[in-house]
Amino acid sequence: MSQQGEVGKTRYLVLHDYGMGGLWWWVWAGSAEEIVSACAEVEVIADPDVVRRAETWGLEEVRLDDPDPNPLSSLRAQRDAQRGQPGFGVLAGRDRVCLRWPEGEEGEVFLMELGPDGRRLRQVEIGPDGGSVKTGIEDWPFNPPFDLCDPQYASMEIGPDDFEEAWQRARHESEG
């Protein structure tokens, strides 16, 4: 967060993290929740050190209610398209979310445990032969957040016990 502006509006630091980089803006809105509710795949950065550093970056300022086109237009349109779908927002606000990612091209399946910010905390990769490898935050060079309001993830949810069982059976990547 940052400065107070017009009545009822505050300037927030907002990030669209796409893994290998991110897009940053100052967004004027009534609340951080209003921004996340209106725009898909963004997070409001509250870490005071990051906000202080961002003050020197010369970022573009956008009002959440600015008319289209603006830097948030596609993210707002994406959120608007999600809003009426079954599962919209059901995973948001939880301490932990566990997902089973659909089978990949080579038959591998990923089970993921996500934190409240949508970032992976732990992951199990189950190979087509049934062997499984577990990895954690320290193993990934990139860890962009999953948008927990996105309805596509609701159908991928698994129970925490299922994830934990797979985690206990898996070997750590370094164990060869």
Side-chain angles (χ1 to χ4, degrees), residues 30 64 173:
L64 185 60
E173 200 168 36

Side-chain angles (χ1 to χ4, degrees), residues 29-148:
S31 68
E33 294 77 19
E34 181 184 24
I35 295 168
V36 173
S37 176
C39 300
E41 299 181 4
V42 300
E43 61 184 312
V44 177
I45 306 300
D47 181 318
D49 293 331
V50 176
V51 171
R52 212 172 5 268
R53 280 196 315 268
E55 293 281 354
T56 67
W57 297 347
L59 298 175
E60 184 173 358
E61 294 196 17
V62 181
R63 285 179 168 52
L64 185 60
D65 57 1
D66 277 351
D68 293 330
N70 67 65
L72 301 175
S73 294
S74 65
L75 301 169
R76 286 193 331 211
Q78 184 177 341
R79 180 63 88 222
D80 288 344
Q82 295 170 345
R83 205 171 301 288
Q85 296 178 28
F88 173 74
V90 300
L91 302 177
R94 298 190 190 172
D95 287 336
R96 296 279 191 272
V97 171
C98 297
L99 302 178
R100 181 186 191 280
W101 202 257
E103 190 172 300
E105 290 179 14
E106 297 176 19
E108 74 281 7
V109 172
F110 291 91
L111 306 181
M112 292 176 258
E113 179 185 53
L114 309 177
D117 62 356
R119 285 189 166 74
R120 290 176 299 167
L121 301 172
R122 300 185 294 168
Q123 177 174 285
V124 176
E125 179 181 354
I126 304 169
D129 64 354
S132 57
V133 175
K134 58 184 171 183
T135 55
I137 295 171
E138 65 281 351
D139 299 311
W140 309 310
F142 305 106
N143 192 9
F146 288 77
D147 181 352
L148 295 177

